[in-house]
Amino acid sequence: MFGNSTPVHSRQNGVHPDLERVIERHMTSVWRAPAHEPSQHAFLQWLTRVDVATRPLVLDSGCGTGASTRLLAERHPDSLVLGIDQSLSRLGSEAEEGVQIAEQAWLLRARAETVWSCLQMRNRRVANHYLLYPNPWPKPEHLRRRWHCHPAWPLLLGISETIEVRSNWSVYIDEMATALRLANRHVSLVADFRPDSVLTPFEAKYLASGHSLFQVKAKPG
Ligand SMILES: C[S@@+](CC[C@H](N)C(=O)[O-])C[C@H]1O[C@@H](n2cnc3c(N)ncnc32)[C@H](O)[C@@H]1O
């Protein structure tokens, strides 16, 4: 039922002791995992349909239903806004090929890390990168699945100018802030974050359930 979502429970109550070691390893090695071919194909096809050269790019990675992508398009009227998610059941089947939801906004089914890699290979920058309520992976042994400790972290950093992350788990945001500071980003962190208006379905669900929300924003240092 809407409004009865349980808060994140974890055996981990603070920044993971292995955080800095894991990040250091990812920052000093090359991630050699092959690209996810369907995501690469979908993204390269989408690139042929839009003009990424003349407008700033806004990325909504893990956009879920794409509700936030629509709102971000209103917030960034001069930008090209792309919402990506790996789940077709959340996005709707049209997003398999890329679906236009506003004059300058699109949804695409793709794995985020493959899209980041494609952007990096083409020297494309993301002016504003949103990671809104990413899966928290709260088990301590799943640290490497959180974006800031994922092998794709250097890619995310390499393509992104402003980064904004929101979560209902304070530890995720504290870790993300630590990772962004290690990358010499200028970080602002808001605990007990109250959005002016709701941006995503998960945000709506967590607010209705009385959860505290947390936000970190980072700009190039
Ligand atoms: C907790 S939901 C949040 C969805 C949305 N941002 C919101 O706040 O309503 C996390 C989303 O991330 C997506 N996701 C997880 N890993 C992903 C990946 N590697 N690439 C693309 N999407 C991913 C999931 O499919 C899911 O829709």
Side-chain angles (χ1 to χ4, degrees), residues 16-212:
H16 198 292
D18 293 344
L19 181 96
E20 292 199 18
R21 191 178 54 77
V22 171
I23 293 174
E24 168 76 16
R25 181 172 300 169
H26 291 326
M27 294 304 289
T28 53
S29 57
V30 179
W31 189 35
R32 297 194 190 280
H36 180 246
E37 204 280 324
S39 299
Q40 188 176 41
H41 178 76
F43 181 68
L44 296 182
Q45 284 298 309
W46 176 79
L47 272 184
T48 65
R49 297 163 71 186
V50 295
D51 179 9
V52 286
T54 57
R55 289 203 270 193
L57 179 62
V58 172
L59 207 55
D60 183 6
S61 288
C63 66
T65 61
S68 50
T69 311
R70 258 175 235 281
L71 295 169
L72 291 172
E74 291 169 15
R75 196 176 285 186
H76 299 279
D78 299 327
S79 300
L80 183 64
V81 184
L82 177 64
I84 48 176
D85 201 285
Q86 65 186 6
S87 164
L88 212 53
S89 62
R90 288 231 162 98
L91 284 171
S93 57
E94 294 159 303
E96 187 85 73
E97 307 282 319
V99 62
Q100 190 167 12
I101 55 167
E103 188 274 318
Q104 89 296 8
W106 296 74
L107 298 178
L108 184 70
R109 183 204 203 171
R111 286 197 190 159
E113 56 274 38
T114 297
V115 169
W116 304 342
S117 168
C118 290
L119 287 167
Q120 194 196 45
M121 279 191 280
R122 283 158 188 77
N123 282 322
R124 294 282 175 210
R125 306 279 297 163
V126 177
N128 296 87
H129 198 162
Y130 292 86
L131 297 150
L132 301 170
Y133 305 94
N135 292 333
W137 298 109
K139 289 185 179 171
E141 58 271 31
H142 289 162
L143 173 69
R144 287 167 182 74
R145 299 186 190 181
R146 302 175 198 156
W147 282 129
H148 43 273
C149 280
H150 191 281
W153 177 242
L155 287 176
L156 195 168
L157 282 177
I159 58 168
S160 308
E161 288 163 20
T162 298
I163 300 172
E164 178 169 339
V165 190
R166 296 183 189 179
S167 179
N168 65 334
W169 192 35
S170 62
V171 171
Y172 196 98
I173 294 300
D174 287 343
E175 286 188 350
M176 180 60 83
T178 304
L180 288 162
R181 285 193 193 99
L182 286 171
N184 295 318
R185 300 293 169 116
H186 180 75
V187 170
S188 51
L189 195 147
V190 185
D192 211 3
F193 166 68
R194 305 282 163 107
D196 294 335
S197 58
V198 171
L199 197 48
T200 88
F202 274 72
E203 188 162 86
K205 181 171 77 170
Y206 296 146
L207 284 171
S209 304
H211 295 193
S212 296

